[in-house]
């Protein structure tokens, strides 16, 4: 089977817990990735600049789709998800990702995935849903100024 998307059109940001099969396919397909190590080392601003540069290098006017997996965020801020692994994006980094893609002018569509309020207690569920709501607002252009 052939991939439906060109691997050059994908970037994963915030990887920290991938299984052997995922690792194999990411390497085999040559998908651009930025792990949490890269974010710690380079900073989220540089990582997002590099991610957007990769996606827009061949066609700066191409529209982008952002599939925002809430489990990229540390479970301290988003516990209601199926893969809650410590060491993820901070609350501020999570917002920066959304805000920076919007500021690129290339965002055409987006989705927030992996929010599951049944997987945390009442407060954890509320915090995760609220973060998802805030990220949607950021993706729709809400900014500090």
């Amino acid at each position: 089977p052939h991939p439906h998307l060109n691997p050059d059109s994908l970037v994963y940001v915030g990887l920290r817990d991938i299984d052997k099969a995922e690792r194999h396919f990411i390497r085999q397909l040559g998908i651009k990735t930025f792990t949490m190590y890269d974010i710690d080392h380079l900073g989220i601003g540089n990582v997002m600049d590099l991610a957007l540069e990769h996606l827009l290098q061949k066609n700066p006017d191409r529209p982008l789709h952002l599939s925002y997996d809430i489990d990229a965020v540390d479970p301290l801020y988003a516990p209601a998800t199926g893969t809650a692994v410590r060491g993820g994006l901070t609350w501020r980094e999570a917002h920066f990702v959304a805000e920076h893609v919007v500021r690129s002018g290339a965002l055409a569509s987006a989705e927030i995935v992996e929010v599951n309020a049944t997987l945390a207690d009442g407060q954890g569920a509320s915090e995760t849903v609220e973060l998802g709501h805030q990220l949607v607002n950021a993706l729709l252009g809400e900014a500090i100024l």
Side-chain angles (χ1 to χ4, degrees), residues 25-57:
F25 283 115
I26 287 169
R27 287 180 175 156
Q28 180 183 27
L29 296 171
I31 296 171
K32 185 77 167 170
T33 62
F34 295 95
T35 66
M36 286 307 299
Y37 174 86
D38 298 315
I39 292 169
D40 291 342
H41 181 69
L42 300 171
I44 193 65
N46 287 327
V47 164
M48 290 307 299
D49 285 343
L50 291 168
L52 289 169
E53 179 182 301
H54 174 80
L55 292 169
L56 298 172
Q57 67 186 348

Side-chain angles (χ1 to χ4, degrees), residues 9-81:
S9 67
L10 300 172
V11 175
Y12 292 145
V13 174
L15 294 178
R16 66 187 182 287
D17 185 47
I18 57 174
D19 62 36
K20 191 175 183 177
E22 289 171 317
R23 185 175 290 111
H24 170 76
F25 283 115
I26 287 169
R27 287 180 175 156
Q28 180 183 27
L29 296 171
I31 296 171
K32 185 77 167 170
T33 62
F34 295 95
T35 66
M36 286 307 299
Y37 174 86
D38 298 315
I39 292 169
D40 291 342
H41 181 69
L42 300 171
I44 193 65
N46 287 327
V47 164
M48 290 307 299
D49 285 343
L50 291 168
L52 289 169
E53 179 182 301
H54 174 80
L55 292 169
L56 298 172
Q57 67 186 348
K58 291 180 183 172
N59 179 2
D61 297 321
R62 73 172 276 208
L64 297 179
H65 173 77
L66 175 65
S67 183
Y68 203 126
D69 193 330
I70 201 78
D71 69 20
V73 181
D74 193 280
L76 180 65
Y77 309 103
T81 186

